[in-house]
Amino acid sequence: MESCICPKFEAAIEILAKKWTGLILRVLMEEKRRFRDIREQIPQMSERMLAERLKELEASGLINRQVYPETPVRIEYTLTDKGKALQPVLDSIEKWAHEWI
Amino acid sequence: MESCICPKFEAAIEILAKKWTGLILRVLMEEKRRFRDIREQIPQMSERMLAERLKELEASGLINRQVYPETPVRIEYTLTDKGKALQPVLDSIEKWAHEWI
């Protein structure tokens, strides 16, 4: 059982191990956000890095990118169900890290 | 709050992101083990890799290495409290990975 779950476990960890990913997911757990809202919440992260991470998270099926054809165009990011389901994972890692690191 | 927990979160993820680490911790969650017992449980992993991971986990304070001066010498690995506290983290990652990956 342990051996067979290993590649999935590693795939999950690989997503979370990229710098800023945990924090971006945390910000989106609260509510949908525009690019600049996320930037404001994580000012240490560059725009380029945020754009890259958002593309990766979309490709992994963790977030949706919704474009509203207004002027100027409005783009909002929301978590998918797969993304929302990471909440207990983030909670447990943060709890452990806070207590033990 | 989120920003301040970030380095700890990343340090925690960094430990778990190394190949085989999750599986080694899982094996040790059950009970104390000798080197060869762990090898038997994870036959795909090389001896050299296991030795390296065990050293890292000991350095991170997640496992204890207990040497019994018998002939032949007996060495057992056990989880520390810090290591045992990772159980809910492993559980939550495995649950998510199993459902969504």
Side-chain angles (χ1 to χ4, degrees), chain A residues 58 64-69 74-78:
Chain A
E58 198 186 352
N64 279 322
R65 181 177 183 271
Q66 176 77 47
V67 181
Y68 298 91
R74 181 161 55 99
I75 302 172
E76 284 178 350
Y77 296 91
T78 51

Side-chain angles (χ1 to χ4, degrees), chain A residues 1-3 5-23 26-27 30 41-44 62 81-86 88-90 92-101, chain B residues 1-3 5-23 26-27 30 41-44 62 81-86 88-90 92-101:
Chain A
M1 180 215 74
E2 286 148 355
S3 297
I5 206 161
C6 189
K8 291 188 175 191
F9 180 90
E10 281 173 8
I13 284 283
E14 200 184 325
I15 292 169
L16 295 173
K18 294 207 167 176
K19 195 167 171 64
W20 305 114
T21 292
L23 217 40
R26 260 290 174 242
V27 169
E30 291 164 27
Q41 295 277 317
I42 318 173
Q44 314 92 309
L62 295 174
D81 288 343
K82 182 178 178 179
K84 283 178 197 157
L86 277 173
V89 175
L90 296 180
S92 70
I93 297 171
E94 283 171 19
K95 186 170 183 292
W96 183 83
H98 188 71
E99 280 174 29
W100 294 99
I101 288 186
Chain B
M1 181 217 73
E2 285 148 354
S3 297
I5 206 159
C6 188
K8 290 187 176 189
F9 180 90
E10 281 172 8
I13 283 284
E14 201 184 324
I15 292 170
L16 295 173
K18 293 206 168 176
K19 194 167 170 67
W20 305 116
T21 292
L23 216 41
R26 261 289 173 244
V27 169
E30 290 164 29
Q41 295 276 318
I42 318 174
Q44 313 94 308
L62 295 175
D81 288 343
K82 182 178 179 179
K84 283 178 197 158
L86 277 174
V89 175
L90 296 180
S92 69
I93 297 171
E94 282 171 20
K95 186 170 183 291
W96 183 83
H98 189 70
E99 280 174 29
W100 294 98
I101 290 186

